[in-house]
Amino acid sequence: MSSAPDPVTLEVYRHLFAAVADEMGVTLQRTASSPNIKERRDYSCAVFDDQGRMVAQGDDMPVHLGSMPASVAAAIAELDPGPGDVVILNDPYRGGTHLPDITMVAPLCCGRDEPIFYVANRAHHADIGGAQPGSMPLARELIQEGLVIPPVHWLRGGQPVEAIRRFLLANVRTPAERMSDLAAQQASLQVGLRRLEEMHQRRGEEMMAYAGHLLDRAERSMRAMLRGLPDGVHTFTDQLDDDGLGSGPLVIQVRLEVKGETATADFVGTAPASEGGVNAVPAIVLSAVSYAFRTLLPPGVPQNAGLDRPLTVKLPPGSLLDPPPGHAVAAGNVETSQRLVDVMFGALAGFVPDRIA
C-alpha cells in the first residue's frame, strides 16, 4: 500500500468485515430448514475483495474457510459474475470439499461495471443425490456420490435461473428441504451484500484500501510467527487404516521446512489416490496446512488470505491428496482432513514441542 494505515481504523475495519461474515452466518442458520445447518452449524460465510481474496470469515468451519477461496476463484474465472448474479457450485475439483457442501458466491458492484467485493457461503446439504441417501456412500467414483455442480448461475441479473433450479431439485431426494436451505444461503448472501453496500456508502473507497491493509497485516503476523520458529526440516507420517473398500493402510506423510519467515509443507511419500472415497482434493490440504499454522498465532490476528502468503504446499500428483478428477472424495473432507491436521501437528511438534497438544 502507498501509505501506512491508521492502526485504530485498521482494527475498526477488522471488526466491521468480520461482523458482516458473522451476520451472514446467523441469517443462514436461522432461516435454513435442515438440522445440518440449523443445529450442527455445518456452514461457513466469508467476505472477499475484488480479486477474490478472503478479507474476513465467520467463526465457522476451518475446512470450509480454507478451501472456499478456490471455489470463489472458479466462479469468477468461469462466469465473471456481475450485478444481481449469484453463482452456485459444489465440484470438489473446482475448490469444493465434497458434494453435499454447496457454495454460493455473489458480487457487490455498487453501480460499477466490475465487482468491488464478493460474499460467499458454503453449507452441507442433507442430500445431493447419488447412490445412497445422504450422498456419502462407499463409492468408487465421484459421480456415484451425488450431483456434481460446476459454477452455474443460480440468479442472473437478480432473476432466478429456473432451468438450473428444476435440474438440481430433480436430482435430490428431499427437494423441498433442499430448496429451503438454498433459499437460506441466498438470503445470507443478500444480508452480506446489504451490509457491505451500507459500509461503502458511509466510508467510500477507504474500505477497499483497508481490506488490502488487513491482508498485509495478516501476512506480517504469519511471517513474524514463522521467524520465531527454529529453521529446519521435520517429517511426520501417519496413516488411514482403510478406504472403506478394503484398501489400506494409506500413508500420509509431510516434510515440513521452515526457513526464515516462510514454510513449505511437502507431502511427498503420501499414498497414491484410493479407490474409495477418502481422497482429499488440494483445497482440503490447503485448509489443513493453513489451520495448523493459524493455531500458533496470537489472538487478534485478522483471519484472511494474507495468512497463507508465506506458506507453500506441494502435493504429489495422482496421490491421495491430489487425486485425478472423478475419484470419490466424500470422506476426504471429514476423515482425511482430520488426519492431515494430525500429521501437520506432528511435524510442527518438532519445531515447538511445548506448543503442540
Side-chain angles (χ1 to χ4, degrees):
M1 294 297 171
S2 57
S3 60
D6 173 66
V8 175
T9 304
L10 187 67
E11 190 69 4
V12 168
Y13 273 107
R14 180 171 77 88
H15 288 283
L16 283 173
F17 285 123
V20 173
D22 286 338
E23 188 175 358
M24 289 172 61
V26 170
T27 302
L28 178 52
Q29 181 187 17
R30 293 186 65 179
T31 57
S33 293
S34 168
N36 280 314
I37 301 173
K38 294 190 74 71
E39 298 175 23
R40 287 204 307 114
R41 294 187 60 188
D42 196 344
Y43 65 82
S44 298
C45 302
V47 176
F48 297 79
D49 70 4
D50 61 332
Q51 298 180 49
R53 301 175 299 186
M54 185 188 291
V55 174
Q57 63 183 49
D59 184 18
D60 301 318
M61 304 282 287
V63 73
H64 286 179
L65 294 163
S67 57
M68 202 188 302
S71 286
V72 173
I76 295 171
E78 296 189 31
L79 294 180
D80 190 21
D85 291 352
V86 171
V87 176
I88 186 173
L89 69 155
N90 74 346
D91 188 345
Y93 295 92
R94 288 178 168 94
T97 45
H98 55 188
L99 297 181
D101 285 342
I102 296 180
T103 301
M104 278 192 182
V105 184
L108 176 71
C109 296
C110 290
R112 305 185 184 199
D113 294 333
E114 298 294 329
I116 59 174
F117 284 96
Y118 295 88
V119 291
N121 56 37
R122 176 171 289 174
H124 183 110
H125 287 251
D127 186 87
I128 193 66
Q132 294 179 8
S135 307
M136 295 188 65
L138 291 175
R140 288 178 166 81
E141 297 178 282
L142 180 66
I143 200 68
Q144 295 174 316
E145 295 180 331
L147 180 65
V148 182
I149 309 170
V152 293
H153 282 98
W154 184 249
L155 295 181
R156 192 157 199 170
Q159 299 302 312
V161 182
E162 293 297 341
I164 293 296
R165 295 182 182 223
R166 291 197 304 270
F167 179 78
L168 192 155
L169 297 176
N171 284 276
V172 299
R173 294 176 176 86
T174 50
E177 186 181 73
R178 295 291 61 69
M179 188 61 214
S180 179
D181 286 349
L182 289 166
Q185 285 188 253
Q186 182 180 324
S188 166
L189 295 185
Q190 294 306 315
V191 167
L193 292 174
R194 187 160 60 246
R195 293 293 178 261
L196 287 174
E197 186 171 14
E198 291 168 355
M199 196 189 309
H200 186 260
Q201 289 172 353
R202 294 195 310 271
R203 298 177 175 271
E205 302 299 300
E206 181 186 76
M207 69 180 286
M208 300 159 68
Y210 270 85
H213 290 313
L214 284 168
L215 294 174
D216 294 339
R217 179 188 166 189
E219 179 183 359
R220 290 194 299 271
S221 297
M222 181 62 81
R223 291 187 183 278
M225 186 277 290
L226 291 172
R227 285 196 302 271
L229 302 181
D231 283 2
V233 176
H234 289 277
T235 61
F236 196 84
T237 303
D238 206 337
Q239 63 186 33
L240 296 167
D241 294 334
D242 195 272
D243 69 348
L245 297 175
S247 296
L250 302 169
V251 170
I252 299 175
Q253 179 173 292
V254 68
R255 177 186 184 276
L256 186 59
E257 179 178 8
V258 173
K259 185 175 182 180
E261 55 184 31
T262 63
T264 299
D266 188 343
F267 288 88
V268 63
T270 294
S274 169
E275 184 181 13
V278 295
N279 300 291
V281 292
I284 290 176
V285 186
L286 296 176
S287 298
V289 171
S290 178
Y291 170 79
F293 278 105
R294 291 184 190 200
T295 63
L296 300 178
L297 292 170
V301 174
Q303 298 294 310
N304 61 46
L307 294 173
D308 299 331
R309 290 173 178 171
L311 308 178
T312 299
V313 176
K314 296 181 179 180
L315 302 174
S319 70
L320 186 73
L321 308 181
D322 189 12
H327 275 61
V329 298
N333 182 52
V334 293
E335 302 292 342
T336 310
S337 64
Q338 301 293 330
R339 194 53 48 86
L340 278 164
V341 172
D342 293 341
V343 170
M344 283 298 301
F345 281 155
L348 283 170
F351 295 95
V352 281
D354 57 324
R355 298 179 63 189
I356 301 297

